């Protein structure tokens, strides 16, 4: 497992299909948007990983996310470093303020 992808066959790419998350540059859903989309809904359990991004790109979005809104029944977990390392947030479907991960998130998992 690595890079950008999905167990279910959909590929997580910005601005395609239906959103699994809309990232916002600033807290309270403000600022620029970065949309991740996929072909399938996430599975109901959060014991698996349905989609993932090993390193947030483009580079100006790394250490920039301030809030997000999930979609496709997906919950989102953010990580401080690339490769899902460092501090992380629990799976959440929406978050208006990321706390210690504000401007620090570098990788993502969806479930
Ligand atoms: Ca920011
Ligand atoms: Ca980081
Ligand atoms: Ca799941």
């Amino acid at each position: 497992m690595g890079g950008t992808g999905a167990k279910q066959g959909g590929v997580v790419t910005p601005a395609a299909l239906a959103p699994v998350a809309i990232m916002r540059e600033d807290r309270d859903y403000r600022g620029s948007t970065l949309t991740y989309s996929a072909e399938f809904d996430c599975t109901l359990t959060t014991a698996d990983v349905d989609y993932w991004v090993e390193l947030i790109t483009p580079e100006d979005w790394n250490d920039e996310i301030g809030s997000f809104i999930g979609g496709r029944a997906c919950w989102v977990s953010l990580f401080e470093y690339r490769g899902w390392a460092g501090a992380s947030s629990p799976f959440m479907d929406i978050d208006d303020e990321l706390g210690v991960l504000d401007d620090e998130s570098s990788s993502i998992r969806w479930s």
Side-chain angles (χ1 to χ4, degrees), residues 6-105:
K7 288 179 181 176
Q8 295 177 320
V11 176
V12 178
T13 52
L17 309 170
V20 292
I22 298 173
M23 306 306 187
R24 301 301 299 263
E25 179 182 3
D26 303 323
R27 61 182 297 169
D28 297 324
Y29 320 114
R30 297 174 184 273
S32 300
T33 62
L34 174 66
T35 301
Y36 289 102
S37 298
E39 188 174 359
F40 302 103
D41 288 356
C42 286
T43 59
L44 291 177
T45 177
T46 53
D48 57 5
V49 179
D50 296 306
Y51 299 105
W52 59 87
V53 166
E54 184 177 20
L55 177 64
I56 293 170
T57 56
E59 190 174 340
D60 58 356
W61 273 94
N62 186 25
D63 296 336
E64 188 54 65
I65 294 169
S67 54
F68 68 83
I69 299 172
R72 300 224 70 150
C74 292
W75 292 40
V76 179
S77 177
L78 298 172
F79 293 79
E80 182 180 7
Y81 303 127
R82 71 179 297 162
W84 315 287
S88 63
S89 63
F91 281 114
M92 298 178 69
D93 59 348
I94 186 168
D95 198 356
D96 64 353
E97 200 277 312
L98 303 184
V100 297
L101 288 169
D102 181 41
D103 289 349
E104 298 290 351
S105 298

